[in-house]
């Protein structure tokens, strides 16, 4: 496919329910927005999103956000943008209004996390819970390029969520969706990917319950199907409502795309308009944060979802920055839009350059993943390919020289091999 035809395809408007995106290039959600300590969008949050809107994105996600006070408490990354109280509506509305005020025609999507599940951090005397008590072996089956976890890490074992807890979180998501609608968001997405709370119900790898939420495809879909149905009743029939989920565990004994597509087909019946597809999870991080454009297409994962969900559910494809690959997948009906994260950190003007036939001018993400190391280590996220990133607002938080040196060291293979050897040689507690 020529650059011109790729630009034509990706520049075609996309209708999702009553919402029409001006093009098919979407900024995916990232916990890189630097909200205020109490969970409100900061000037930097807004400036970051406005910059991507001006760069030509058809839609932008507000990432790093939570639907409940519990999720805010147990989040492994902090702070987060909050939807758990009506007091946050004016700040959320300000964000939406300012991004809409760029006059770029960009759509703004809210992403709702009910709880962090197997990836949660126990705090304030409260434990974490999941579908079943299975911890996460962080990167146990491969880490992204230039990301290391010396000695490895296994998360605390979660409790099995009670039925009462599941229903409480369902209502909390409904309430958060009401607030997102009141704030003026164009679309709402429920997060069920990686190893977070709702994702734990979808795969037999992390769901070995014997009640109405475990076992069959229908039962594993139940928690999300009920939530989607309740949210749809709350927000009405016209607002674009979607789900984000991982398409493949990429772990021995885990579920593949056929299984995830089957459980998603059950959830779609409750009123979903779109599904955002991501790959892998925290146990298979090399598949989630891949350095290969189009890996999901090569492995046939979106194809399984199209087959299971039919032509009417809009599909967003991640990790495919090659415009020709993304456009070809749209032309053949496999997906409907491309959703990018790291690439739009490196070059916020990627959409405008692709749509303007200026691919030679794109600043490409080199997958050094310094942004990811910064996020993991709670250092303000920046991009070494784009000095402006993380500094869109003059008052944004900046890393200092010591932090920058630490981020560099954390990505150095030789130093991390030494650290790994030392960590594994350290006696464990109780031994």
């Amino acid at each position: 496919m020529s650059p011109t035809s790729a630009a034509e395809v990706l520049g075609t408007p996309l209708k999702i329910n009553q919402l029409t995106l001006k093009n098919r290039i979407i900024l995916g959600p990232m916990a890189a927005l630097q909200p205020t300590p109490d969970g409100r969008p900061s000037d930097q949050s807004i400036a970051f999103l406005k910059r991507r809107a001006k760069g030509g994105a058809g839609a932008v996600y507000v990432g790093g956000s939570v639907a409940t006070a519990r999720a805010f408490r147990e989040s492994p990354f902090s702070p987060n943008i909050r939807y758990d109280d009506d007091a946050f509506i004016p700040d959320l509305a300000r964000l939406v209004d300012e991004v809409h005020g760029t006059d770029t025609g960009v759509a703004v999507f809210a992403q709702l996390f009910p709880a962090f599940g197997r990836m949660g951090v126990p705090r304030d005397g409260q434990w974490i819970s999941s579908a079943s008590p299975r911890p996460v072996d962080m990167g146990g089956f491969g880490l992204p390029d230039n990301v290391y976890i010396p000695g490895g890490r296994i998360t605390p074992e979660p409790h099995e969520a009670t039925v009462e807890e599941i229903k409480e979180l369902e209502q909390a998501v409904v309430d958060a969706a009401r607030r997102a609608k009141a704030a003026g968001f164009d679309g709402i997405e429920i997060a069920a990917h990686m190893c977070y709370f709702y994702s734990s119900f979808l795969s037999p790898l992390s769901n070995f319950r014997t009640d109405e939420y475990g076992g069959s495809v229908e039962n594993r879909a139940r928690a999300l199907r009920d939530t989607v149905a309740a949210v749809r009743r709350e927000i009405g029939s016209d607002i674009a409502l979607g789900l984000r989920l991982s398409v493949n565990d990429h772990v021995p004994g885990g579920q593949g795309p056929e299984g995830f597509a089957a459980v998603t087909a059950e959830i779609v019946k409750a009123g979903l308009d779109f599904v955002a597809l991501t790959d892998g999870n925290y146990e298979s991080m090399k598949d989630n944060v891949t350095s290969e454009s189009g890996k999901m297409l090569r492995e046939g994962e979106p194809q399984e979802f199209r087959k299971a969900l039919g032509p009417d559910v809009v599909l967003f494809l991640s990790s495919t920055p090659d415009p020709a690959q993304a456009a070809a997948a749209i032309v053949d009906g496999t997906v409907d839009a491309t959703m990018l994260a790291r690439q739009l950190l490196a070059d916020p003007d990627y959409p405008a350059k692709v749509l303007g036939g200026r691919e030679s001018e794109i600043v490409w993400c080199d997958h050094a993943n310094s942004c990811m190391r910064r996020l993991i280590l709670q250092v303000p996220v920046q991009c070494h390919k784009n000095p402006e990133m993380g500094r869109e607002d003059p008052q944004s938080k900046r890393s200092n020289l010591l932090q920058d040196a630490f981020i560099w060291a954390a990505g150095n293979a030789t130093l991390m091999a030494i650290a790994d050897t030392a960590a594994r040689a350290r006696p464990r507690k109780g031994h």
Side-chain angles (χ1 to χ4, degrees), residues 102-183:
T102 57
D103 293 326
T104 58
V106 70
V108 188
F109 282 67
Q111 186 185 60
L112 305 180
F113 271 89
F116 282 87
R118 300 197 290 148
M119 281 302 298
V121 179
R123 293 191 180 102
D124 301 333
Q126 303 294 316
W127 203 250
I128 55 175
S129 65
S130 184
S132 298
R134 177 189 168 95
V136 177
D137 184 353
M138 283 281 288
F141 299 91
L143 290 166
D145 292 345
N146 307 299
V147 174
Y148 307 91
I149 303 177
R153 183 195 167 203
I154 297 178
T155 64
E157 184 174 285
H159 294 160
E160 180 175 290
T162 65
V163 173
E164 180 182 23
E165 186 179 8
I166 294 168
K167 300 309 288 186
E168 286 176 352
L169 284 172
E170 175 185 312
Q171 184 58 51
V173 174
V174 170
D175 292 339
R178 172 180 56 79
R179 296 179 188 112
K181 178 182 178 180

Side-chain angles (χ1 to χ4, degrees), residues 67-114:
T68 67
R70 167 183 166 171
F72 188 75
R73 180 189 68 235
E74 68 183 23
S75 173
F77 313 116
S78 62
N80 303 105
I81 292 175
R82 303 176 70 166
Y83 296 81
D84 63 288
D85 192 286
D86 287 358
F88 296 109
I89 294 175
D91 294 277
L92 294 168
R94 175 193 165 219
L95 179 152
V96 174
D97 289 346
E98 290 213 26
V99 177
H100 281 163
T102 57
D103 293 326
T104 58
V106 70
V108 188
F109 282 67
Q111 186 185 60
L112 305 180
F113 271 89

Side-chain angles (χ1 to χ4, degrees), residues 257-319:
E258 299 89 347
F260 277 106
V263 75
T264 305
E266 289 294 319
I267 301 167
V268 163
K269 297 174 183 177
L272 286 178
D273 299 306
F274 68 92
V275 177
L277 306 175
T278 68
D279 202 8
N281 56 47
Y282 283 105
E283 293 183 303
S284 51
M285 291 171 67
K286 69 178 178 62
D287 294 288
N288 179 258
V289 187
T290 179
S291 296
E292 175 190 348
S293 179
K295 176 178 177 292
M296 294 173 67
L297 292 168
R298 177 175 59 78
E299 295 181 348
E301 294 163 346
Q303 292 89 329
E304 289 294 334
F305 275 76
R306 180 59 76 204
K307 186 190 311 180
L309 304 185
D312 296 331
V313 178
V314 172
L315 296 181
F316 297 166
L317 173 69
S318 64
S319 302

Side-chain angles (χ1 to χ4, degrees), residues 190 192 198-199 201-202 217-229 232 241-245 259-275 305 309 313:
I190 300 171
Y198 276 138
S199 69
F201 288 85
L202 304 181
V217 167
E218 293 80 5
N219 282 357
R220 285 184 280 118
R222 188 181 305 278
L224 266 169
R225 187 181 63 232
D226 289 352
T227 299
V228 169
R232 178 56 81 192
L241 177 62
L243 174 70
R244 178 172 302 261
L245 80 163
F260 277 106
V263 75
T264 305
E266 289 294 319
I267 301 167
V268 163
K269 297 174 183 177
L272 286 178
D273 299 306
F274 68 92
V275 177
F305 275 76
L309 304 185
V313 178

Side-chain angles (χ1 to χ4, degrees), residues 349-372:
D349 295 315
Y350 169 95
K353 291 174 181 177
V354 169
L355 300 180
R358 298 184 288 123
E359 290 183 31
S360 62
E361 299 176 22
I362 293 173
V363 178
W364 292 102
C365 172
D366 62 3
H367 306 113
N369 290 323
S370 61
C371 55
M372 185 176 182

Side-chain angles (χ1 to χ4, degrees), residues 16 18 25 32 110 122 136 145 181 205 213 254 269 323 335 346 398 414 417:
I16 309 173
Q18 299 304 305
I25 303 176
V136 177
D145 292 345
K181 178 182 178 180
L205 182 74
Y213 293 98
K269 297 174 183 177
V335 297
R398 315 288 175 86
T414 300

